[in-house]
Every structure is written in C-alpha cells, then in structure tokens.
C-alpha cells in the first residue's frame, strides 16, 4: 500500500512568484486536503477536494487554489507569493470526505521558503 | 468557530517519567478527537483517537479519554522513552459542520536518557 507522497520536498521562491505543489493520495483514498504549517505552529486547513471539486475551505485568500485529478492526486497553487507563505505544506488523504474513522493520512510535506 | 488549546511546551522529561499533555477544545457539534505525533523531518502520524464521549483511545502506551463535561482530551503515558521525543498535536474533526480538522499549536516533548 503506497502512502501519501508529496513533491517537491523543499523549494525556494521569491516574493511575487507562483508555486505549484503536488500530492499523490494513498491508494484507495478519494479525498485530499491541504494544510499550511508555519514554523512552531499547528497545521491550518486550506481546503479539501473530493471528486475533483473543492468541498471545504479554510480562511485562506483566493490566491491559494487547487486541483484534483481523476486519479485523486492533487495540486496546490499559490500565486503572488508573500513572505508569510513560508511554511511546510502538508497534504492529507482519507477514504471519504466524511464519516468513517475520520483519520487523516499525511505526507511528509513540502517546505516552501519565500525570500 | 471550533478551536483546540494545548499546554505550552517545550516539555523536557527524563526517561521513565510520567507524561501528561493537556488539551481542551471548543466545538459547536459533536467532534471526534485525535492526537497526532510529528517526529523530526516527518509528516504527522495518528497516535490515537476517540469518537464519542467517555471513549478512551490508546496506542504505544499512550492514552487519552474524551471528557465531554470538561471538553478535554489529555494525553498520558506512564513511562516515556527517548524515542517518544516529538511534537504532539491535539486535533478535532467536527463532521457535522465541516470537512476539516482543527489542530492545536503542538507541544514539543524531549525525553532525556
């Protein structure tokens, strides 16, 4: 059983640039969510995707957007990068959007540094 | 909105000492409660969970009981090991009101030999 994988693991961008982060969900999982974890803080929910549509969103501006593909993999796109976007971005998958055990399965994250 | 509060860290203990990390929550519905652990350089892993009041979650010697009357879910272990050194996150998922998890700020635990 393949777990959640994310790429790239580290990247450095400059303010104003755009970034795309990628995530492959765990086998059998159709729901993917993204979290932002700033240094020394807990993860903050960005959004969740199910059946290729966003079905939940946290308090993040529209320059944070995403996609989910038919194979359930997902992308997180951030436009007009700001210094405060520097963080570890975590992807998590689960078998369904609600119910079940409710457990999230996390990847190891993509660490973004904005200079 | 929903929120989770954890005791401030870092926590430093000697091997075989007892551990308690306090966690309290605020939720509008009937959430499930979780403890996740993050080892250095890794993503978060589920440690234990409880889905209704009075449930006790347990794993790897860690325990936590869902206390609805005190809105708490404190993490305990009777004898910690050096390998338990990590950051511990308390979290809730309120399935009736949203799809997301709400995490606490995390508590860093260091266990010294």
């Amino acid at each position: 059983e393949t777990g959640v994988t994310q790429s790239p693991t580290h990247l450095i961008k400059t303010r104003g640039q755009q970034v795309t982060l990628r995530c492959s969900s765990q086998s059998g999982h159709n729901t993917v969510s993204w979290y932002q974890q700033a240094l020394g803080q807990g993860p903050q929910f960005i959004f969740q995707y199910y059946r290729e549509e966003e079905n939940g969103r946290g308090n993040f501006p529209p320059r944070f957007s995403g996609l989910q593909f038919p194979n359930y993999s997902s992308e997180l796109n951030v436009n007009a990068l700001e210094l405060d976007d520097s963080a570890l971005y975590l992807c998590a998958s689960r078998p369904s959007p609600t119910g079940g055990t409710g457990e999230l399965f996390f990847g190891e994250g993509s660490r973004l540094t904005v200079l | 909105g929903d929120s989770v509060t954890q005791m401030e860290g870092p926590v430093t203990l000697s091997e075989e000492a007892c551990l308690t990390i306090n966690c309290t929550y605020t939720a509008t519905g009937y959430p499930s409660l979780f403890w996740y652990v993050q080892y250095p350089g890794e993503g978060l892993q589920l440690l234990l969970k409880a889905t209704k009041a009075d449930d006790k979650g347990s794993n790897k010697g860690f325990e936590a009981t869902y206390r609805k009357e005190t809105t708490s879910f404190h993490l305990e272990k009777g004898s910690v090991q050096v390998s338990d050194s990590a950051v511990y996150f308390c979290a809730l998922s309120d399935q009736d009101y949203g799809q997301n998890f709400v995490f606490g700020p995390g508590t860093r635990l260091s266990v010294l030999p």
Side-chain angles (χ1 to χ4, degrees):
Chain A
E1 184 177 77
T2 305
V4 178
T5 58
Q6 293 186 241
S7 63
T9 54
H10 296 83
L11 69 167
I12 300 173
K13 293 286 188 177
T14 57
R15 199 169 51 180
Q17 285 188 312
Q18 179 266 344
V19 68
T20 297
L21 308 178
R22 295 176 176 83
C23 171
S24 293
S25 63
Q26 183 163 318
S27 176
H29 290 186
N30 60 21
T31 302
V32 173
S33 52
W34 288 90
Y35 288 77
Q36 181 194 66
Q37 186 180 14
L39 195 62
Q41 298 183 23
Q44 300 291 315
F45 175 69
I46 303 175
F47 43 56
Q48 177 173 280
Y49 276 83
Y50 170 64
R51 291 185 173 177
E52 303 177 47
E53 290 190 359
E54 183 183 296
N55 78 333
R57 189 178 184 93
N59 189 27
F60 280 81
R63 60 189 184 85
F64 286 77
S65 63
L67 287 172
Q68 186 180 33
F69 300 99
N71 66 354
Y72 307 131
S73 65
S74 177
E75 287 183 354
L76 165 66
N77 299 290
V78 187
N79 294 321
L81 284 168
E82 301 177 359
L83 298 179
D84 286 348
D85 295 334
S86 295
L88 181 67
Y89 288 85
L90 295 166
C91 174
S93 72
R94 57 192 196 186
S96 65
T98 60
T101 66
E103 178 183 352
L104 290 176
F105 295 80
F106 284 89
E108 295 189 357
S110 295
R111 183 163 297 283
L112 171 65
T113 301
V114 182
L115 302 177
Chain B
D2 294 354
S3 66
V4 174
T5 303
Q6 286 181 240
M7 64 183 290
E8 293 289 330
V11 174
T12 302
L13 296 173
S14 297
E15 205 166 22
E16 299 184 1
C18 295
L19 169 71
T20 299
I21 301 177
N22 291 333
C23 170
T24 57
Y25 68 91
T26 302
T28 51
Y30 300 94
S32 296
L33 302 176
F34 303 81
W35 278 99
Y36 277 82
V37 59
Q38 188 174 34
Y39 298 102
E42 299 183 13
L44 278 72
Q45 305 172 24
L46 179 68
L47 181 60
L48 54 84
K49 67 179 188 280
T51 57
K52 61 183 186 297
D54 300 325
D55 271 2
K56 177 186 283 188
S58 61
N59 186 27
K60 299 181 181 179
F62 290 89
E63 293 183 341
T65 301
Y66 190 142
R67 301 288 189 198
K68 185 178 178 183
E69 64 275 14
T70 55
T71 62
S72 65
F73 193 55
H74 305 321
L75 182 67
E76 299 177 327
K77 187 174 186 182
S79 176
V80 295
Q81 307 299 313
V82 172
S83 57
D84 295 327
S85 298
V87 181
Y88 293 81
F89 294 93
C90 186
L92 68 82
S93 175
D94 196 339
Q95 295 291 324
D96 290 338
Y97 290 91
Q99 321 304 327
N100 60 299
F101 278 53
V102 176
F103 286 85
T107 302
R108 180 175 299 278
L109 170 66
S110 296
V111 181
L112 305 179

